[in-house]
Structures are given as C-alpha cells and as structure tokens.
Amino acid sequence: MRTDSSPGTLPAREHLPAGNAGTPVLDVVIPVYNEEKDLGPCVVRLHDHLKRTFPYAFRITIADNASTDTTPQVARRLETDLAEVTSFRLEQKGRGRALRTVWSASDAPVLAYMDVDLSTDLNALLPLVAPLISGHSDLAIGSRLARSSRVVRGAKREFISRTYNLILRGSLQARFSDAQCGFKAIRRDVAQVLLPLVEDTGWFFDTEMLVLAERAGLRIHEVPVDWVDDPNSTVHIVKTATDDLKGVWRVGKALTTGALPLDRLARPFGDDPRDRDVQDVPKGLARQLVGFCVVGGLSTLFYLVLYSAFRSFSGSQVANALALLVSAVANTAANRRLTFGVRGRGGAVRHQAQGLVVFGIGLALTSGSLAALNAASSDPSHSTELAVLIAANLAATVLRFLLFRAWVFPDRDGAPGAGSTVVATHNHPSSPACPAGGTQPYRQPSGPQDPLPQRPTPQPCAQSAPYAQSATTTTRFRAGEAADGTWRDSTMQLQPVRPHDTDPGEPR
C-alpha cells in the first residue's frame, strides 16, 4: 500500500502490507559450509529471537554450500523441528553463489542474510529490515565502522577491514562504510533486477552488489551494530583479500569503460524524481536553460583564462582559436551530461563532432568581432579585446543553445536525454523475449497474493513453486538455476553459471 503524500511532494514508496497469508515477509538466509557444530545453536537462537520480537511472518533458509561433514543432516533435523526453517543444498561452494540462488528463488518481499556465527547482535535485525518494509530504502547493511557501533575484535582484523573500506572509497568512490559485515538485507524486487548484474560468487559478492546499487542510485540504509569477532572463523584472510582486490579491479574497470548497464536502473521502481510530475520544479526548456547558463558561465570563465594564457605567447586570433577549441570540447561534454541528460558513451564522438561545428560558428563570430575591432583601432587595449569577446560570446552562446537543443541533442522522446537511456536487460539465449535473470518486462501486479501489490516487480518467465517443499525434505538444485529461470532434475551434475564458478580454491 502507498502512504499519502502532500500535493507537490515526491510520492511515498510502498509500505509492505501488514498481513499477507501464506507468504513470509522476511526470508533470512544462512550460508554454511561444514558448520555442523554452530548451525544448530545459531538457527535455534535466531528462530527464538524472531518468534519473540519480529511482528511479521518469517522464514529461515539454510543454504548449504557443498558441506562434506554432517551439516546437511543437521539442516534436515532443524527443518523437521522448526516449521519456519527450510534448507537448500548446493553442490558448489561460494557464499555469493548461495545468496544469489536462494534470493532469486525466494517469494518473500524482504531478503536478508547473516553469518552462522551470529557475531552481530540480533537486536539490530528489526532496524535493518524496517526501512525495506516501509519502502524507505532498497538495501540495508549492518556497519561495524559506524561511530556508534560497538565492536570487539583483534587489531589485525580491524586493520584489514578499515584498509579494505578505504580502498573501496578511493578506487570505487564507495560511500557506504562497511562492505563485508555479514548482516545485510535487500527488497526482492530490487534483487531481481540487481543480482543478474553481480558476477562474483564468493566473498566479494557483497561489495559488488553494494557498489552497483550505489552507482545505480538505489538507497542504502546503514545500521550501527554490536559485533563480537568469532575467533574460530574459517575465512581465509589472505585469499579472500586477494580475491577482493581482483574484484575491485574488475568492477572499477567495468564502471570506467561503461560496460555495466547501470544508467537509470532505479527508474523501473518509479523512484527517480525525473519520472515524477511534481509542481514548481523546473523541467524541459526551463531546466535546460538553467543548466546551460550555469555551464556557459563556467565555460566563459574557462575560455577567458585560456585566452589570457595563450595571448601571452601568440597573437589574438591564434589565442582566441585555441581557447575556443579547448573550452568548446569541455562545454559540449558538460552540456551533454548536465543540461541535456545524456549519459553513457553512446554517441559521444558524434556529439563532440557536432559541437565542433557549433564551435566553428562561434569562432566565426568572435574572430569577426576581433577583426572589426582591429580595423577600427590599430592598437586596442587588452581590456577592450576582452569586452568585445564577451559581447560576441553572448551572441554565440544563444546560438549555441539553439543548435544544441535542436540539432546536437534533439528531444526526440519528449524528455531530455531520453534517447540515451540504457536498458539493464540482456536476452537469454534460449528465450529471446526474456531478459537476463529469467524475468519479463516490468508490469503492475494485480494478484491478491502478491506481497507487493503496488510496486512493479519482474515476473519469472518460467514459474517455479516457491519453497513448496515438505518440512522434512531438503531441496537440491543447481547453483544459478533460479537466476536463469530454468528448473531441472535435482540429481543432474552441476554446471558453472559463470566462467570462474569452477575455481576449486574458493573458500567457503
């Protein structure tokens, strides 16, 4: 349901309904690998906490990452004893693989996960998922590095954690404070769009998901946590750190080259103010004029500085041409992104070429003004030259805006930059009409059982029975099968879903 909003304000996002029979609101996933000792106490403690404190229906899902000890037997026993517990078995390791597979198959509108050691105090669970239930945020993470967090751990892990997050801030411009805390949640409709873009299947999965979400403009909520380090943790610090640094390089390269289709990813959820009809907000021609004037003012200052610098070692005509050329390239790039809302690298070369044609017209105006000044005065002062150039540039600016709007960046779809929108979908090889992740184009759901009756969500191309297993059966399935929308015999040999899925050295 959608909460009321005052006229002229941004409409509120959907709050999950208070009751929805048969569908848990929260699905907490616990990925495990050889955790026969800790799994039982962890699940029992979490189940008791949720029963006592959580006001909505919930599910606890054990994601077994190819354990070789008695972890599967412990999981089945927990399924039998606790009605809200279910378990899935994957035949390949990787925390990211487990989370993507189970989250992709879940029918709960809010998906969370936590480490089996329960290092994070469970009192933070309700504050973690509350913003997702209310519709305020898209993802939520626990943070051990927030000022108000209370953390007990050794100096070595503290140094590694802070250093890693500094690397993320410096290389990927990440603004979230703690990427690796095993305490996160995401809305299902967001996960269905975001998870197909995440490549990592191991420990870097969290970081990659958060970086992509942040770059896409999704809202990430942070919760300070109380956290006590588990001295018996099985995480391989050196290998994990090495894999994380490789992931940082891969994601950074993809973001730099524009290989990721992140542009306006938030728009399918109706969260972009540019999609809202809000009163008293400049848009269309008025908004473009404002942006163009700001960019033009800065470009003029940049041009005058360049002209003065070039004039010190060349004639006025040469200095004017060089200053105009450099400032024109910068002006076209700035107007392309800021004024006309064109993003991505598509058409950038053509836009710059057309901008240079506009530059030629401006050069003719300013050069003609200088020629007229030199004809009128044999030795004009520098201040007079600048005054004439300012007047000529004002005329050239008006002409430049008209040419930019009508020729360089035409508004073909009635919205600035509409032609540059990148669609964040890929066709599946076996189903040309179905995008990656096995989902159909967004539509407005109308079924009474849909846990998000108002918010548009992708619909699976191949419908799968969500958690329709008995309380005593552990479901086996291939890693990645929920992501591609295909369900096959659970006894089939596992196949890699990504080129690096067969890494035998991947920890946990």
Side-chain angles (χ1 to χ4, degrees):
M1 60 183 177
R2 187 182 290 276
T3 54
D4 294 335
S5 300
S6 301
T9 63
L10 290 178
R13 299 181 182 182
E14 295 82 353
H15 192 300
L16 295 180
N20 191 23
T23 302
V25 170
L26 173 66
D27 191 350
V28 182
V29 181
I30 303 177
V32 291
Y33 172 70
N34 289 347
E35 298 286 356
E36 57 185 1
K37 294 182 179 179
D38 294 336
L39 180 58
C42 161
V43 172
V44 171
R45 178 182 164 196
L46 175 60
H47 181 270
D48 178 67
H49 177 83
L50 290 172
K51 274 287 191 182
R52 290 185 295 102
T53 66
F54 195 68
Y56 296 91
F58 66 88
R59 178 193 297 126
I60 300 173
T61 302
I62 303 169
D64 179 16
N65 287 141
S67 296
T68 57
D69 60 1
T70 62
T71 296
Q73 290 81 358
V74 175
R76 286 195 293 269
R77 184 170 66 251
L78 291 168
E79 268 191 319
T80 303
D81 297 341
L82 303 173
E84 292 82 7
V85 176
T86 186
S87 68
F88 278 172
R89 166 78 175 181
L90 291 90
E91 298 300 338
Q92 288 179 285
K93 295 194 297 182
R95 181 181 67 173
R97 178 182 290 109
L99 291 177
R100 182 171 60 237
T101 304
V102 177
W103 280 355
S104 298
S106 179
D107 58 347
V110 176
L111 312 169
Y113 97 89
M114 59 181 62
D115 291 335
V116 69
D117 54 21
L118 294 186
S119 296
T120 304
D121 183 69
L122 292 178
N123 287 327
L125 182 56
L126 185 55
L128 182 80
V129 301
L132 309 186
I133 293 175
S134 70
H136 174 272
S137 299
D138 300 301
L139 299 90
I141 65 173
S143 175
R144 299 163 296 184
L145 302 181
R147 289 182 179 272
S148 55
S149 298
R150 297 186 297 177
V151 177
V152 178
R153 62 177 169 180
K156 179 180 178 180
R157 286 183 176 271
E158 181 77 10
F159 174 78
I160 292 175
S161 179
R162 292 189 177 275
T163 301
Y164 178 64
N165 282 280
L166 285 175
I167 292 174
L168 293 181
R169 289 175 176 269
S171 59
L172 300 179
Q173 288 78 51
R175 295 188 296 273
F176 48 85
S177 64
D178 191 352
Q180 290 286 26
C181 182
F183 195 70
K184 295 181 176 68
I186 185 173
R187 287 181 65 113
R188 184 191 60 185
D189 49 358
V190 177
Q192 289 178 333
V193 178
L194 189 59
L195 293 184
L197 302 179
V198 181
E199 293 187 16
D200 192 78
T201 60
W203 291 94
F204 187 69
F205 174 87
D206 304 52
T207 302
E208 185 171 358
M209 179 181 68
L210 290 174
V211 170
L212 300 188
E214 189 174 73
R215 289 299 186 94
L218 301 181
R219 182 175 290 172
I220 301 175
H221 176 72
E222 293 199 18
V223 178
V225 297
D226 298 338
W227 195 84
V228 180
D229 188 21
D230 178 13
N232 299 317
S233 174
T234 59
V235 177
H236 302 166
I237 297 179
V238 175
K239 176 170 177 52
T240 300
T242 302
D243 292 341
D244 286 347
L245 292 177
K246 292 179 180 178
V248 169
W249 170 260
R250 173 176 56 79
V251 173
K253 181 180 179 181
L255 291 172
T256 302
T257 59
L260 289 168
L262 295 179
D263 190 46
R264 303 167 81 91
L265 180 59
R267 291 178 70 109
F269 306 118
D271 295 335
D272 197 317
R274 289 169 292 185
D275 293 338
R276 303 258 172 84
D277 185 14
V278 182
Q279 298 178 356
D280 301 326
V281 176
K283 55 187 178 180
L285 178 61
R287 186 192 62 79
Q288 291 178 0
L289 277 174
V290 172
F292 188 82
C293 288
V294 172
V295 173
L298 295 176
S299 298
T300 300
L301 292 176
F302 184 48
Y303 161 77
L304 293 175
V305 171
L306 290 176
Y307 176 80
S308 298
F310 293 146
R311 188 68 174 86
S312 62
F313 60 82
S314 64
S316 60
Q317 295 287 4
V318 175
N320 175 60
L322 291 176
L324 268 180
L325 178 61
V326 176
S327 61
V329 173
N331 181 276
T332 301
N335 276 308
R336 181 178 188 270
R337 175 66 181 267
L338 302 178
T339 303
F340 298 96
V342 180
R343 303 185 182 184
R345 303 177 65 182
V349 175
R350 175 174 58 83
H351 292 155
Q352 283 291 351
Q354 291 172 313
L356 289 178
V357 174
V358 178
F359 149 75
I361 298 175
L363 177 62
L365 284 174
T366 53
S367 298
S369 300
L370 283 177
L373 176 64
N374 291 327
S377 175
S378 59
D379 188 19
S381 65
H382 184 63
S383 59
T384 303
E385 285 184 348
L386 291 180
V388 170
L389 287 175
I390 291 174
N393 267 288
L394 288 176
T397 297
V398 174
L399 182 59
R400 185 184 305 121
F401 175 75
L402 296 176
L403 289 174
F404 272 3
R405 182 176 170 84
W407 180 48
V408 184
F409 308 109
D411 189 6
R412 296 187 178 90
D413 295 329
S420 65
T421 301
V422 179
V423 179
T425 57
H426 301 281
N427 288 336
H428 193 279
S430 61
S431 180
C434 182
T439 59
Q440 295 174 344
Y442 282 86
R443 65 174 180 85
Q444 187 77 7
S446 57
Q449 298 300 322
D450 196 299
L452 285 176
Q454 297 289 339
R455 189 161 182 163
T457 57
Q459 302 299 317
C461 286
Q463 295 295 333
S464 58
Y467 294 87
Q469 321 303 329
S470 66
T472 60
T473 303
T474 300
T475 304
R476 291 173 177 265
F477 56 88
R478 292 176 52 236
E481 64 184 350
D484 63 17
T486 305
W487 295 84
R488 300 181 177 88
D489 188 345
S490 60
T491 61
M492 292 180 66
Q493 184 67 27
L494 287 169
Q495 299 295 330
V497 295
R498 298 188 186 278
H500 51 281
D501 274 0
T502 56
D503 180 10
E506 184 175 44
R508 195 167 169 179

